[in-house]
Amino acid sequence: MREVLAEAAFQLFLERGFERTTVDDIVARAGVGRRSFFRYFPSKEDAVFPDHERCLADMTAFLAAAGDTEPVDAVCDAARLVLRMYSANPEFSVQRYRLTREVPGLRTYELSVVRRYEQTLAGHLRDRYGESGDGALRAEVIAASVVAAHNNGLRSWLRSGGEGDPEAAVDHALGLVRQVWGSASAGGASPAATDGDVVVMVAAKGAPMWRVVQQIESVIGQG
């Protein structure tokens, strides 16, 4: 039923536009009552992203089973679960990307979903690095870097209309994260000592994390 409702909602969003489509329209198209809709989706926005809750659960389980895997490797591999979710249905993913670009409210909602992925990655890293000293800071910065790198590669593929190999772009971007934050630099070596490019960014104190990630994405995209 969740998939039926999501499909009906998305068809209407494409036909009529997101703002002009109501929950009543969606349930009428799906042939169910309003209660059925709200049993699965708290809002119209949630119906645009029906697969993220499952992906978040899969990511959490993946990291819980990571054991002693090098922390940066683990979170980079976990981020690929999101890529696979998108690449499993290219047509839907490209249409959703275009719809999200057109509707500011959906863009805001998407940023909140991205933040939840980032928090999941950061939580795993804090468990590995600890909360004392720079452990918590390192966890937040690496998680933001992984999300920014992953999204840069993913969005390049989506902007192309789903052409080509999405994993190649994402692997390249995540490779930069590994060069700077992987085991080679975890023992105290300066990130500047690695072979990869280093991005240094200054953000205002108190700036929201999604804004920091957005700035990092823009810099990586210019490389």
Side-chain angles (χ1 to χ4, degrees):
M1 180 56 66
R2 182 183 181 87
E3 293 178 1
V4 168
L5 286 165
E7 183 177 354
F10 204 77
Q11 288 175 351
L12 287 167
F13 295 153
L14 293 177
E15 293 171 11
R16 305 180 185 181
F18 180 79
E19 300 295 345
R20 296 180 62 185
T21 299
T22 67
V23 171
D24 287 335
D25 295 331
I26 296 170
V27 297
R29 174 67 64 90
V32 299
R34 286 173 60 88
R35 284 188 179 182
S36 294
F37 181 87
F38 290 111
R39 186 178 299 126
Y40 294 97
F41 302 112
S43 67
K44 287 194 305 180
E45 287 80 4
D46 290 280
V48 180
F49 303 95
D51 40 11
H52 282 292
E53 289 298 330
R54 183 173 64 251
C55 192
L56 277 162
D58 289 345
M59 178 182 286
T60 300
F62 178 88
L63 291 171
D68 294 330
T69 302
E70 200 281 324
V72 176
D73 287 342
V75 293
C76 285
D77 289 342
R80 288 193 178 86
L81 297 176
V82 183
L83 171 66
R84 290 170 192 151
M85 178 191 72
Y86 276 85
S87 62
N89 192 343
E91 182 178 0
F92 173 76
S93 296
V94 170
Q95 289 177 334
R96 175 167 61 186
Y97 175 76
R98 291 170 178 169
L99 179 65
T100 303
R101 303 280 73 72
E102 296 171 359
V103 182
L106 291 179
R107 176 59 176 158
T108 300
Y109 184 94
E110 183 185 48
L111 288 171
S112 73
V113 174
V114 170
R115 177 58 178 157
R116 291 177 66 191
Y117 283 119
E118 183 180 318
Q119 289 173 328
T120 300
L121 299 178
H124 175 76
L125 293 169
R126 282 195 300 271
D127 288 342
R128 297 299 304 276
Y129 296 144
E131 297 281 358
S132 60
D134 287 338
L137 174 61
R138 176 183 284 267
E140 291 288 342
V141 172
I142 294 175
S145 299
V146 169
V147 169
H150 170 274
N151 286 352
N152 180 269
L154 172 63
R155 289 170 184 164
S156 295
W157 175 69
L158 292 171
R159 284 193 295 270
S160 75
E163 298 293 330
D165 180 9
E167 292 199 20
V170 170
D171 284 346
H172 174 72
L174 291 176
L176 297 180
V177 176
R178 280 194 165 99
Q179 287 176 14
V180 175
W181 294 110
S183 56
S185 60
S190 167
T194 66
D195 294 332
D197 295 332
V198 177
V199 176
V200 178
M201 191 194 75
V202 178
K205 183 178 181 180
M209 187 58 69
W210 67 264
R211 177 66 69 186
V212 175
V213 172
Q214 192 177 62
Q215 289 179 272
I216 294 173
E217 285 182 329
S218 68
V219 173
I220 294 176
Q222 294 170 7

Short mmCIF file of all heavy atoms in Angstrom, two decimals, residues 146-172:
data_model
loop_
_atom_site.label_atom_id
_atom_site.label_comp_id
_atom_site.label_asym_id
_atom_site.label_seq_id
_atom_site.Cartn_x
_atom_site.Cartn_y
_atom_site.Cartn_z
N VAL A 146 31.78 13.25 3.89
CA VAL A 146 31.27 12.08 3.18
C VAL A 146 29.97 12.40 2.47
O VAL A 146 29.77 12.07 1.29
CB VAL A 146 31.08 10.89 4.15
CG1 VAL A 146 30.31 9.75 3.46
CG2 VAL A 146 32.41 10.39 4.65
N VAL A 147 29.06 13.07 3.18
CA VAL A 147 27.78 13.43 2.59
C VAL A 147 27.97 14.39 1.41
O VAL A 147 27.34 14.23 0.36
CB VAL A 147 26.85 14.05 3.66
CG1 VAL A 147 25.62 14.67 3.01
CG2 VAL A 147 26.42 12.99 4.66
N ALA A 148 28.84 15.38 1.58
CA ALA A 148 29.07 16.34 0.51
C ALA A 148 29.66 15.66 -0.72
O ALA A 148 29.24 15.92 -1.86
CB ALA A 148 30.00 17.45 0.99
N ALA A 149 30.64 14.77 -0.51
CA ALA A 149 31.27 14.08 -1.63
C ALA A 149 30.27 13.16 -2.34
O ALA A 149 30.17 13.16 -3.57
CB ALA A 149 32.47 13.28 -1.13
N HIS A 150 29.53 12.38 -1.55
CA HIS A 150 28.53 11.47 -2.13
C HIS A 150 27.50 12.24 -2.94
O HIS A 150 27.18 11.88 -4.08
CB HIS A 150 27.84 10.70 -1.01
CG HIS A 150 26.64 9.92 -1.46
ND1 HIS A 150 25.39 10.48 -1.54
CD2 HIS A 150 26.51 8.63 -1.87
CE1 HIS A 150 24.53 9.58 -1.99
NE2 HIS A 150 25.17 8.45 -2.19
N ASN A 151 26.97 13.31 -2.37
CA ASN A 151 25.91 14.06 -3.04
C ASN A 151 26.41 14.78 -4.29
O ASN A 151 25.66 14.96 -5.25
CB ASN A 151 25.28 15.07 -2.08
CG ASN A 151 24.40 14.39 -1.05
OD1 ASN A 151 24.13 13.20 -1.14
ND2 ASN A 151 23.94 15.14 -0.07
N ASN A 152 27.68 15.17 -4.28
CA ASN A 152 28.24 15.80 -5.48
C ASN A 152 28.23 14.83 -6.65
O ASN A 152 27.80 15.16 -7.77
CB ASN A 152 29.65 16.29 -5.20
CG ASN A 152 30.29 16.96 -6.41
OD1 ASN A 152 30.94 16.30 -7.21
ND2 ASN A 152 30.10 18.25 -6.54
N GLY A 153 28.69 13.59 -6.41
CA GLY A 153 28.69 12.59 -7.47
C GLY A 153 27.29 12.18 -7.87
O GLY A 153 26.98 12.04 -9.06
N LEU A 154 26.42 11.99 -6.88
CA LEU A 154 25.05 11.57 -7.16
C LEU A 154 24.31 12.62 -7.98
O LEU A 154 23.64 12.30 -8.98
CB LEU A 154 24.31 11.32 -5.84
CG LEU A 154 22.80 11.07 -5.95
CD1 LEU A 154 22.52 9.80 -6.74
CD2 LEU A 154 22.17 10.98 -4.55
N ARG A 155 24.43 13.88 -7.60
CA ARG A 155 23.69 14.93 -8.30
C ARG A 155 24.24 15.19 -9.69
O ARG A 155 23.48 15.58 -10.59
CB ARG A 155 23.70 16.21 -7.46
CG ARG A 155 22.81 16.08 -6.23
CD ARG A 155 22.99 17.21 -5.26
NE ARG A 155 22.18 16.99 -4.06
CZ ARG A 155 22.34 17.63 -2.92
NH1 ARG A 155 23.29 18.54 -2.80
NH2 ARG A 155 21.56 17.36 -1.88
N SER A 156 25.52 14.95 -9.90
CA SER A 156 26.06 15.05 -11.26
C SER A 156 25.38 14.02 -12.16
O SER A 156 25.02 14.32 -13.32
CB SER A 156 27.58 14.82 -11.25
OG SER A 156 28.23 15.84 -10.55
N TRP A 157 25.20 12.82 -11.63
CA TRP A 157 24.53 11.77 -12.39
C TRP A 157 23.06 12.12 -12.62
O TRP A 157 22.54 11.93 -13.72
CB TRP A 157 24.66 10.46 -11.64
CG TRP A 157 23.93 9.31 -12.25
CD1 TRP A 157 24.22 8.67 -13.42
CD2 TRP A 157 22.76 8.66 -11.72
NE1 TRP A 157 23.32 7.65 -13.65
CE2 TRP A 157 22.41 7.62 -12.61
CE3 TRP A 157 21.99 8.84 -10.57
CZ2 TRP A 157 21.32 6.78 -12.40
CZ3 TRP A 157 20.91 8.00 -10.35
CH2 TRP A 157 20.58 6.99 -11.27
N LEU A 158 22.38 12.64 -11.62
CA LEU A 158 20.97 13.00 -11.76
C LEU A 158 20.80 14.14 -12.77
O LEU A 158 19.86 14.13 -13.57
CB LEU A 158 20.39 13.39 -10.40
CG LEU A 158 20.25 12.26 -9.37
CD1 LEU A 158 19.87 12.83 -8.02
CD2 LEU A 158 19.25 11.22 -9.83
N ARG A 159 21.70 15.11 -12.73
CA ARG A 159 21.61 16.22 -13.68
C ARG A 159 21.81 15.76 -15.11
O ARG A 159 21.29 16.38 -16.06
CB ARG A 159 22.64 17.31 -13.33
CG ARG A 159 22.26 18.16 -12.13
CD ARG A 159 23.15 19.39 -12.04
NE ARG A 159 24.54 19.05 -11.80
CZ ARG A 159 25.09 18.92 -10.59
NH1 ARG A 159 24.35 19.11 -9.51
NH2 ARG A 159 26.36 18.62 -10.45
N SER A 160 22.55 14.67 -15.28
CA SER A 160 22.79 14.15 -16.63
C SER A 160 21.58 13.38 -17.16
O SER A 160 21.60 12.92 -18.30
CB SER A 160 24.01 13.23 -16.62
OG SER A 160 23.70 11.96 -16.02
N GLY A 161 20.55 13.23 -16.32
CA GLY A 161 19.38 12.45 -16.73
C GLY A 161 19.53 10.98 -16.44
O GLY A 161 18.81 10.15 -17.01
N GLY A 162 20.50 10.62 -15.57
CA GLY A 162 20.71 9.22 -15.24
C GLY A 162 21.59 8.49 -16.24
O GLY A 162 21.57 7.26 -16.30
N GLU A 163 22.37 9.25 -17.01
CA GLU A 163 23.25 8.63 -17.99
C GLU A 163 24.58 8.26 -17.35
O GLU A 163 25.07 8.92 -16.45
CB GLU A 163 23.52 9.60 -19.15
CG GLU A 163 22.27 10.01 -19.93
CD GLU A 163 21.67 8.83 -20.70
OE1 GLU A 163 22.44 7.94 -21.09
OE2 GLU A 163 20.44 8.83 -20.90
N GLY A 164 25.17 7.18 -17.84
CA GLY A 164 26.50 6.80 -17.37
C GLY A 164 26.46 6.01 -16.07
O GLY A 164 25.42 5.56 -15.61
N ASP A 165 27.64 5.86 -15.50
CA ASP A 165 27.83 5.06 -14.29
C ASP A 165 27.87 5.96 -13.06
O ASP A 165 28.85 6.67 -12.86
CB ASP A 165 29.13 4.27 -14.41
CG ASP A 165 29.40 3.40 -13.19
OD1 ASP A 165 28.51 3.28 -12.33
OD2 ASP A 165 30.53 2.86 -13.09
N PRO A 166 26.84 5.94 -12.23
CA PRO A 166 26.83 6.82 -11.07
C PRO A 166 27.89 6.46 -10.04
O PRO A 166 28.39 7.32 -9.31
CB PRO A 166 25.42 6.63 -10.49
CG PRO A 166 25.00 5.27 -10.94
CD PRO A 166 25.62 5.10 -12.30
N GLU A 167 28.26 5.17 -9.98
CA GLU A 167 29.22 4.75 -8.98
C GLU A 167 30.61 5.32 -9.25
O GLU A 167 31.37 5.58 -8.32
CB GLU A 167 29.28 3.22 -8.91
CG GLU A 167 28.00 2.60 -8.37
CD GLU A 167 28.21 1.17 -7.88
OE1 GLU A 167 29.38 0.80 -7.61
OE2 GLU A 167 27.22 0.44 -7.77
N ALA A 168 30.94 5.54 -10.51
CA ALA A 168 32.27 6.07 -10.82
C ALA A 168 32.45 7.47 -10.24
O ALA A 168 33.49 7.77 -9.62
CB ALA A 168 32.46 6.09 -12.34
N ALA A 169 31.45 8.33 -10.42
CA ALA A 169 31.56 9.70 -9.90
C ALA A 169 31.58 9.71 -8.38
O ALA A 169 32.36 10.45 -7.77
CB ALA A 169 30.40 10.54 -10.42
N VAL A 170 30.75 8.90 -7.76
CA VAL A 170 30.70 8.86 -6.30
C VAL A 170 31.97 8.26 -5.73
O VAL A 170 32.51 8.75 -4.74
CB VAL A 170 29.45 8.07 -5.83
CG1 VAL A 170 29.51 7.82 -4.32
CG2 VAL A 170 28.19 8.85 -6.18
N ASP A 171 32.49 7.20 -6.35
CA ASP A 171 33.74 6.59 -5.88
C ASP A 171 34.89 7.59 -5.95
O ASP A 171 35.75 7.63 -5.05
CB ASP A 171 34.08 5.35 -6.71
CG ASP A 171 33.22 4.15 -6.35
OD1 ASP A 171 32.55 4.21 -5.30
OD2 ASP A 171 33.20 3.17 -7.12
N HIS A 172 34.93 8.38 -7.02
CA HIS A 172 35.98 9.38 -7.16
C HIS A 172 35.88 10.41 -6.04
O HIS A 172 36.89 10.77 -5.41
CB HIS A 172 35.88 10.08 -8.52
CG HIS A 172 36.85 11.21 -8.68
ND1 HIS A 172 38.20 11.02 -8.84
CD2 HIS A 172 36.65 12.57 -8.67
CE1 HIS A 172 38.80 12.20 -8.94
NE2 HIS A 172 37.89 13.14 -8.83
#
